[in-house]
Amino acid sequence: GQSLEQPSEVTAVEGAIVQINCTYQTSGFYGLSWYQQHDGGAPTFLSYNALDGLEETGRFSSFLSRSDSYGYLLLQELQMKDSASYFCAVRDRGAGANNLFFGTGTRLTVIP
Amino acid sequence: DSGVTQTPKHLITATGQRVTLRCSPRSGDLSVYWYQQSLDQGLQFLIQYYNGEERAKGNILERFSAQQFPDLHSELNLSSLELGDSALYFCASSPRTTQETQYFGPGTRLLVL
């Protein structure tokens, strides 16, 4: 089976940096994805890491350590519009190669 | 706009009834995935189709079924509905060669009364 752990809530100040951690356990790991979901909206893809290291896309970066079964999403220069839920998801070999198993999400609140 | 369309946007029905949710993937995407999201919960993978064939199955109840048609649109059928089936149902599609990136439709909000 699979399990993912991420904090349920995080609050940060506009303009600051916030890191959302994700630890996982899977039977066959392909990679770690991050999705953003605003209230009432659909999840949107942010990033994917299959190899160790940092991937940067604008203000967002994602990191993976396969040996530690750990990853994080880093959001810089926070804006009010970044208030949303952020889900990490593992692509797992165990339940079908293209199955994405999602964590329960971290609700980020950006305050002025 | 992800390019994935879902209908209807909202659905209200009674327990014991049957409903059909429809999804059209992005142009060129062969894979379609269905997810269920209950209040304040993560996304639960239900089932995946690839080019008309079932590819992977998640925690899909026996009362639920899905299919993908030759034009690649997909339908999720929910029968003998229970109150606990009230949720957001998302469809997603992925490009031919990159399965880790999934594009989600706007969802169908189902309320069972």
Side-chain angles (χ1 to χ4, degrees), chain A residues 45-84:
Chain A
F45 173 79
L46 292 177
S47 68
Y48 175 74
N49 296 69
L51 303 175
D52 287 355
L54 192 68
E55 297 274 346
E56 297 183 53
T57 309
R59 296 187 296 113
F60 294 2
S61 303
S62 57
F63 172 82
L64 176 66
S65 168
R66 295 174 69 109
S67 59
D68 295 323
S69 298
Y70 164 76
Y72 65 71
L73 180 69
L74 191 73
L75 295 84
Q76 303 182 73
E77 300 171 20
L78 280 172
Q79 301 175 9
M80 299 300 290
K81 67 178 182 179
D82 297 330
S83 292

Side-chain angles (χ1 to χ4, degrees), chain B residues 47-65:
Chain B
I47 197 164
Q48 180 211 354
Y49 279 82
Y50 179 82
N51 202 21
E53 295 190 2
E54 183 183 302
R55 179 59 67 95
K57 225 170 184 176
N59 297 323
I60 188 166
L61 299 172
E62 284 191 15
R63 300 184 285 110
F64 296 1
S65 64

Side-chain angles (χ1 to χ4, degrees), chain B residues 72-86:
Chain B
L72 301 178
H73 91 271
S74 177
E75 293 181 356
L76 179 67
N77 301 295
L78 314 176
S79 61
S80 302
L81 284 167
E82 302 175 359
L83 296 178
D85 297 327
S86 296

Side-chain angles (χ1 to χ4, degrees), chain A residues 33 35 37 40-45 48 87 91 95-105, chain B residues 33 35 37 40-43 45 48 55-58 88 90 99-102 104-106 109:
Chain A
S33 300
Y35 285 77
Q37 185 180 28
T44 55
F45 173 79
Y48 175 74
F87 295 89
R91 190 170 155 227
N98 296 309
N99 179 16
L100 270 186
F101 182 79
F102 284 81
T104 52
Chain B
Y33 310 79
Y35 292 88
Q37 186 176 38
D40 295 330
Q41 293 294 310
L43 289 146
F45 169 71
Q48 180 211 354
R55 179 59 67 95
K57 225 170 184 176
L88 261 174
F90 287 104
Q99 304 293 345
E100 55 271 4
T101 307
Q102 295 187 12
F104 283 76
R109 187 175 293 277

